[in-house]
Amino acid sequence: MKITFMGAGSTVFARNVLGDCMCTEALCKSEIALYDIDEDRLKESEIILNAINKNINKGRAQIKCFLGVHNRKASLKDATFVVNAIQVGGYDPCTITDFEIPKKYGLKQTIADTMGIGGIMRALRTIPVMADFAKDMEEVCPDAFFLNYTNPMAMLTGFMQRFTKVKTIGLCHSVQVCSENLLKDLNMEDKLDGRKELIAGINHMAWLLEIYDKDGNDLYPEIKKRAEFKNSGEEKHNDMVRYEYIKHLGYYCTESSEHNAEYNPFFIKSKYPELIDKFNIPLDEYPRRCIEQIEGWQKEKNEILQNGKVTHERSKEYASYIMEAIVTNKPYKIGGNVINNGLIDNLPQDACVEVPCMVDAIGIHPTYVGKLPTQLAAMNMSNINAQLLAIEAAVTKDRTKIYQAAMMDPHTAAELSIDDIVKVCDEMIDAHGDYMKDFNK
């Protein structure tokens, strides 16, 4: 069995996913192909993964590196699973551009990797690369499963599922920890064991629709009471946006408040700058996080490379559990991103939705959810509109579709005029240069 990791220079994430595989009996003897276009980062990942393989796996995995586009097809050849964690353009220059140019127009962002001007641009520079992956996979590993972790999840996964033949599933980190973190934050840890829940919607805005304790008691009444009390106190906390969702929409959602602050027109508003402080919204959070991660990684890397004692315990990431379920036919439930196709009645059929999925030897099987509460479907639709238009832009190479995607983005539309939306898009397309060559005038 062969596992190919695209974007293996994402060393920490590659270590988690591939370390998980080495901790799994059914996967620990796999051939592992590491692919990246950055030689230094690829070499670092190879050293660290070899250390993990030696320390916890008795060297049973076979790890090989593949550098550069000319080696991409070889890295994919005969793969059983392909994990995607690429970031096209990286922090510098692309992430910086995604934040600094919109800021000139008064458009403030927190993460900008899923929605907004930043999310749209990230999708448009990533989809061509993933299209090349798909072309190679259709040729050299047509039966492989493509496990996508790269954001913007709904746009990239939606493209792969609708416009390629690759068996694609979109995976996030937030579904499996959503209710656990909520209950811990509200001092309801005693309700964790044996709880039952239903989560569905779209990536980064999937909804905790139902949650019951082990005895079948509905936990939402107590959650709502405690969340409102916590948000009304003098002490600020890091989840105030999502607790406001509970108050006004009736439900909690999967992804963090710093993410959700920019997925709607309610919180980041130039007319009401006091809302930033009131809801403890960390503007420019992603660039700040990137800088901290880069600095932190250098320190961690040096420590790891000096003593070679790096080890690993299996994480909550879905990837290894999906692979194990397919290889062993031991069913496993995940929250996965798939094309709707009737799974959620009141969302578009071609939208990429996040729903419970069962995994076994046959593959990945999404489950029918039904109709979302109207207000939740409306929130999802406000994001889906921009997502579908961004995918159309990538497929048609129509620059006008980029403008339309940005116009439909809730936060962008609430802050900018149509003329300024066009201007900021034009400036960003130009600034991204060859990454956006399909849209150059």
Side-chain angles (χ1 to χ4, degrees):
M1 186 176 68
K2 179 176 177 180
I3 303 167
T4 299
F5 198 106
M6 312 299 284
S10 303
T11 307
V12 174
F13 189 62
R15 178 182 67 186
N16 287 342
V17 169
L18 296 174
D20 287 352
C21 294
M22 294 182 212
C23 290
T24 306
E25 188 61 31
L27 309 173
C28 65
K29 297 179 182 179
S30 299
E31 176 185 347
I32 295 174
L34 306 177
Y35 170 80
D36 209 286
I37 60 173
D38 185 315
E39 184 174 8
D40 292 337
R41 294 297 299 270
L42 183 60
K43 187 65 177 177
E44 291 169 1
S45 292
E46 180 187 25
I47 292 170
I48 288 166
L49 287 164
N50 274 324
I52 293 175
N53 189 31
K54 177 182 177 182
N55 293 343
I56 70 167
N57 195 31
K58 301 178 182 178
R60 290 182 291 179
Q62 302 174 48
I63 300 173
K64 300 179 182 179
C65 287
F66 297 84
L67 175 66
V69 174
H70 61 287
N71 284 315
R72 185 179 64 214
K73 193 177 293 187
S75 76
L76 291 166
K77 183 174 175 56
D78 299 325
T80 313
F81 301 101
V82 179
V83 180
N84 184 52
I86 62 173
Q87 183 180 354
V88 177
Y91 168 68
D92 186 4
C94 287
T95 295
I96 294 173
T97 299
D98 286 345
F99 276 83
E100 293 305 313
I101 291 177
K103 200 180 296 182
K104 288 166 49 179
Y105 291 81
L107 192 59
K108 301 170 184 175
Q109 301 174 100
T110 55
I111 305 294
D113 73 346
T114 296
M115 284 294 298
I117 295 287
I120 292 167
M121 294 297 160
R122 183 181 281 235
L124 293 173
R125 63 178 181 263
T126 307
I127 285 175
V129 177
M130 289 178 62
D132 287 341
F133 290 178
K135 183 178 179 182
D136 286 349
M137 289 181 66
E138 288 166 3
E139 179 181 342
V140 302
C141 57
D143 296 322
F145 288 87
F146 187 77
L147 281 54
N148 179 51
Y149 276 99
T150 298
N151 285 321
M153 179 61 63
M155 300 184 205
L156 302 183
T157 304
F159 166 78
M160 291 291 287
Q161 290 168 337
R162 290 171 57 199
F163 295 99
T164 78
K165 297 178 182 177
V166 174
K167 295 186 289 190
T168 301
I169 186 72
L171 303 173
C172 190
H173 324 281
S174 57
V175 175
Q176 57 267 56
V177 297
C178 173
S179 65
E180 178 183 354
N181 290 345
L182 173 64
L183 293 176
K184 287 180 178 178
D185 194 49
L186 295 177
N187 297 317
M188 297 174 66
E189 293 94 334
D190 60 315
K191 305 299 182 183
L192 286 170
D193 291 343
R195 72 191 185 280
K196 297 175 280 290
E197 63 188 37
L198 173 62
I199 294 176
I202 61 173
N203 179 244
H204 286 184
M205 197 190 277
W207 306 98
L208 182 60
L209 297 170
E210 300 175 10
I211 180 167
Y212 302 95
D213 68 15
K214 62 183 179 181
D215 299 317
N217 299 305
D218 188 355
L219 294 179
Y220 250 128
E222 184 64 19
I223 287 171
K224 291 177 181 179
K225 183 168 64 175
R226 295 192 185 201
E228 184 168 6
F229 177 78
K230 187 165 184 175
N231 249 23
S232 63
E234 293 183 3
E235 185 177 344
K236 293 182 174 64
H237 59 92
N238 293 328
D239 209 11
M240 300 188 77
V241 167
R242 285 196 290 179
Y243 283 12
E244 201 72 355
Y245 278 3
I246 295 175
K247 179 179 179 180
H248 294 285
L249 301 173
Y251 297 86
Y252 190 65
C253 83
T254 49
E255 189 50 75
S256 62
S257 281
E258 64 263 25
H259 271 274
N260 269 272
E262 65 182 3
Y263 298 164
N264 57 68
F266 307 132
F267 299 100
I268 306 175
K269 302 175 78 70
S270 56
K271 187 177 179 181
Y272 301 102
E274 67 274 12
L275 294 176
I276 301 301
D277 180 66
K278 179 180 179 181
F279 290 101
N280 202 25
I281 296 169
L283 297 175
D284 295 329
E285 171 66 14
Y286 188 69
R288 184 164 51 248
R289 196 177 292 176
C290 287
I291 294 170
E292 292 172 355
Q293 287 175 342
I294 291 168
E295 293 174 350
W297 168 242
Q298 291 303 318
K299 180 181 178 181
E300 183 180 2
K301 177 189 71 174
N302 292 335
E303 292 174 354
I304 290 171
L305 297 183
Q306 284 174 6
N307 62 39
K309 295 179 181 179
V310 60
T311 186
H312 184 78
E313 293 183 2
R314 198 174 187 184
S315 73
K316 294 181 180 180
E317 295 291 353
Y318 281 139
S320 70
Y321 297 94
I322 292 172
M323 297 180 200
E324 182 182 31
I326 290 172
V327 169
T328 66
N329 200 28
K330 179 182 176 182
Y332 189 78
K333 178 186 173 184
I334 67 168
N337 290 270
V338 297
I339 297 304
N340 189 16
N341 287 335
L343 301 170
I344 298 178
D345 290 333
N346 50 346
L347 293 181
Q349 297 302 294
D350 53 359
C352 183
V353 296
E354 195 165 69
V355 297
C357 303
M358 293 302 298
V359 188
D360 61 17
I362 298 298
I364 300 169
H365 316 285
T367 61
Y368 174 72
V369 174
K371 186 177 181 181
L372 296 180
T374 304
Q375 73 276 18
L376 305 186
M379 288 287 289
N380 287 163
M381 275 304 309
S382 71
N383 285 219
I384 289 169
N385 293 328
Q387 292 164 356
L388 294 179
L389 281 161
I391 293 171
E392 284 189 29
V395 172
T396 64
K397 311 296 189 290
D398 184 347
R399 193 178 181 115
T400 302
K401 295 291 183 183
I402 302 177
Y403 306 149
Q404 292 169 350
M407 287 165 59
M408 295 304 124
D409 175 69
H411 173 48
T412 303
E415 291 286 275
L416 302 186
S417 68
I418 293 177
D419 286 345
D420 278 348
I421 290 172
V422 171
K423 288 177 183 177
V424 72
C425 287
D426 283 343
E427 189 170 344
M428 292 181 78
I429 292 167
D430 291 343
H432 282 308
D434 285 345
Y435 290 112
M436 300 283 284
K437 61 177 183 254
D438 288 337
F439 301 97
N440 290 337
K441 291 181 177 178

